[in-house]
Amino acid sequence: MDPHRPAGKDDHPGGNDELPPGQRKVRGWPVSHYGPVPRFRADRWSLKVFGATAAGGEHTWTLEEFSALPRATVAADLHCASGTTSTGHEWFGVTARTLLDLAPPAPHATHVMAWAEYGYSANLRLADFTADGTLLATHHNGDQLTAEHGFPVRLVVPHLYSWKGPKWLRAIEYMTTDRRGFWEERGHHNLADPWKEQRYTHQEEDGDGPAV
């Protein structure tokens, strides 16, 4: 498949029968998010990278500039901490590695905070953000994302629970120390590995969370 175009409706992959422990497969693609769907205004939209950047400044792309960046395709399931997994997803968009090349972090950066509309946030280790498959998605199974599913851009981090991939992404902050995001402050596990069933804060071991 050409990695520089969205997949057609007939050529996206089937589901993955191997699920993380405690997960059950669901049909379709359930809509799940906190708060209302934001109103999109193309002339006001931008994506920003800030914080501990290598150059010490901010990097910002308008919607037109972001749409011109190189694209790739990633096949990945979505694992919800509630215990459901939806399969058969093919995502198309800008890889996190592309963003890192264009706006590299400072050498001492260790984590990122993904910021979305309404101040929603999700923290990630830098290694999770740079992992193969992490994508700033604009399309799903050949079609542009719908508003309910995160249009114009959502973060996809396939190897973590889906709350680590915010819809309606607006910024990436490079950080030199970890701090919890929206759901992490409300009782969810700081690392969110579905293969280790890292759902809740009480499951955290020493070193899993930010230093107190």
Side-chain angles (χ1 to χ4, degrees), residues 1 8 14-15 18 26 55 62 64 66 72 82 86 91-92 98-99 119 127 136 147 158 171 192 206:
M1 179 179 296
E18 185 180 5
V26 295
T62 64
E64 182 178 3
F66 183 81
S82 66
S86 57
W91 310 93
F92 177 80
T98 295
L99 209 67
L136 285 69
D206 290 344

Side-chain angles (χ1 to χ4, degrees), residues 1-8 11-13 73 90:
M1 179 179 296
D2 184 351
H4 301 293
R5 67 171 180 84
D11 59 6
H12 66 271
T73 301
E90 188 165 75

